[in-house]
Amino acid sequence: MFIQTESTPNPATLKFLPGQTVLDAGTADFPTADGAEVSPLVERIFKVPGVAGVFLGNDFVTVTKGDSTEWDHIKPAILGAIMEHYQSGQPVMIGEGGGASGHAEHSGEDAEIVGQIKELLDTRVRPAVAQDGGDITFHGFERGVVYLHMQGACAGCPSSTITLKMGIENLLRHYIPEVTEVRPVGV
């Protein structure tokens, strides 16, 4: 098994490509080790000292390190954990077997606008940020303001504010006149 690694715009995050499907559908975000028991793969990765977060996509695993940790020290152990997992034959996720779409539900008078927002996120934004090892999901829409949740490499990335304001906000405002602003939300 050959696992490729790619840097991301976030220096605290690396993208690992195991060369096979990680999640059949959706994504799974583990900003801390809490809840990692639903994924044998994520549990193994969190056993590496210095790992601060794990994010699973369709064909990649994004790992975020702690501030005081150097990639040179933990990258070999993370590669080993991913390799061990795939050799073990265990599933990536226990139970439902996959990730979620990640978008928050929304109903009411703005349901049509929210549907358009989600459609643009799914077709234009999410494929691009997945290439950088992250994901951006819909969190809410209130009085013209779209609230988005940033995950994986996007969470805490120095360029995420520029991505949100210059990229996503301009895109949404262009196609959906009701959108006036885009803001990130915490976990």
Side-chain angles (χ1 to χ4, degrees):
M1 176 177 211
F2 179 70
I3 302 169
Q4 292 180 297
T5 59
E6 292 180 0
S7 59
T8 70
N10 184 347
T13 304
L14 266 183
K15 183 176 174 184
F16 294 81
L17 298 139
Q20 50 192 284
T21 301
V22 176
L23 288 180
D24 289 326
T27 60
D29 190 25
F30 300 89
T32 66
D34 294 342
E37 65 276 355
V38 300
S39 172
L41 172 59
V42 173
E43 271 190 313
R44 282 181 205 265
I45 296 170
F46 268 116
K47 287 180 182 170
V48 176
V51 170
V54 179
F55 179 79
L56 306 176
N58 174 257
D59 63 349
F60 65 89
V61 177
T62 302
V63 179
T64 304
K65 68 175 186 66
D67 292 338
S68 61
T69 304
E70 295 296 323
W71 280 118
D72 293 344
H73 298 144
I74 66 169
K75 185 176 167 184
I78 295 168
L79 288 165
I82 294 170
M83 198 170 298
E84 276 178 27
H85 171 77
Y86 280 99
Q87 290 173 345
S88 76
Q90 289 183 295
V92 172
M93 300 290 284
I94 297 171
E96 296 166 21
S101 77
H103 293 309
E105 292 298 316
H106 186 93
S107 58
E109 62 187 64
D110 296 328
E112 187 176 328
I113 295 167
V114 168
Q116 292 173 341
I117 292 168
K118 289 180 181 180
E119 167 104 13
L120 281 170
L121 290 174
D122 287 343
T123 59
R124 299 284 187 96
V125 176
R126 294 176 84 186
V129 296
Q131 296 217 316
D132 287 337
D135 198 8
I136 296 177
T137 57
F138 174 82
H139 185 79
F141 178 72
E142 189 176 329
R143 287 186 242 140
V145 179
V146 177
Y147 295 92
L148 299 177
H149 184 83
M150 314 214 18
Q151 301 172 308
C154 295
C157 176
S159 60
S160 66
T161 304
I162 295 166
T163 301
L164 266 182
K165 290 294 178 188
M166 304 308 283
I168 300 168
E169 185 174 292
N170 287 345
L171 174 82
L172 292 178
R173 287 173 67 188
H174 175 78
Y175 286 103
I176 307 167
E178 293 85 354
V179 172
T180 58
E181 186 182 356
V182 173
R183 294 183 192 163
V185 294
V187 179

